[in-house]
Amino acid sequence: MQKSKHDLWVGLFVVIGGLAILFLALKAGNLLSLSFAETYNVSARFDNIGGLKVRAPVKSAGVVVGRVAAISFDDKTYQARVDLQLEKRFTFPKDSSAKILTAGLLGEQYIGIEPGAEEKLLASGDTVRMTQSAVVLENLISQFLYNKAADAGSEGAKK
């Protein structure tokens, strides 16, 4: 009887440990958020979203104010439409702007909202008009190399 009692406690401890590891893995992978705050939905259109993913954070002044709810492609404007779920306790003016930013040099991408100055506030269903697309590292490198090659070609022509 004593041995089975210890086995039960060990088994329970193993199950709790497994659940804790699963919880931490989901939190680290940004696949689980336990926010039960009320939200409202706004959308934004970008020419290039880079590596932005659904469930990416939406931040303002470094504080997470929401999450990316959905990403779709508009075949009429040829832009990406990003639906954002913002917590109701955070309100932003209608002339706020949204940018796709990167955490660190090669970190995850997120959306940064900079508040505007208008008195009217964004409401559910509104669209953020001023947006700035993601900076794609490959495009920056190719532009740098192209400019260097053009500079070298113009110097060779001067000689």
Side-chain angles (χ1 to χ4, degrees):
M1 186 67 181
Q2 186 70 11
K3 185 174 182 174
S4 66
K5 188 176 180 182
H6 289 300
D7 289 344
L8 177 69
W9 284 108
V10 168
L12 186 63
F13 181 74
V14 168
V15 168
I16 291 172
L19 290 174
I21 289 174
L22 178 67
F23 174 78
L24 289 173
L26 290 174
K27 283 298 264 185
N30 201 17
L31 298 174
L32 177 72
S33 91
L34 294 175
S35 175
F36 299 106
E38 290 187 42
T39 60
Y40 62 100
N41 295 329
V42 297
S43 64
R45 296 184 186 279
F46 296 94
D47 292 327
N48 188 344
I49 61 166
L52 186 71
K53 294 183 176 24
V54 174
R55 309 273 319 129
V58 178
K59 297 181 180 182
S60 183
V63 177
V64 176
V65 296
R67 296 265 173 202
V68 173
I71 299 172
S72 59
F73 182 73
D74 185 354
D75 58 355
K76 297 197 179 8
T77 62
Y78 301 105
Q79 290 181 316
R81 177 189 164 145
V82 179
D83 295 325
L84 312 173
Q85 281 186 330
L86 303 176
E87 293 183 22
K88 280 196 175 181
R89 63 187 172 133
F90 302 114
T91 57
F92 295 95
K94 277 194 179 273
D95 62 343
S96 296
S97 64
K99 300 182 199 183
I100 298 178
L101 303 168
T102 304
L105 186 60
L106 298 173
E108 72 171 346
Q109 290 191 314
Y110 65 94
I111 293 188
I113 295 184
E114 291 187 18
E118 193 171 319
E119 288 187 24
K120 290 183 181 176
L121 300 176
L122 284 172
S124 188
D126 285 348
T127 300
V128 177
R129 300 276 178 224
M130 293 183 283
T131 60
Q132 182 178 335
S133 295
V135 176
V136 181
L137 191 59
E138 292 85 4
N139 292 347
L140 285 176
I141 292 170
S142 65
Q143 186 177 13
F144 175 75
L145 293 175
Y146 175 77
N147 287 340
K148 284 295 183 188
D151 290 346
S154 66
E155 286 178 14
K158 289 180 184 177
K159 290 181 180 179

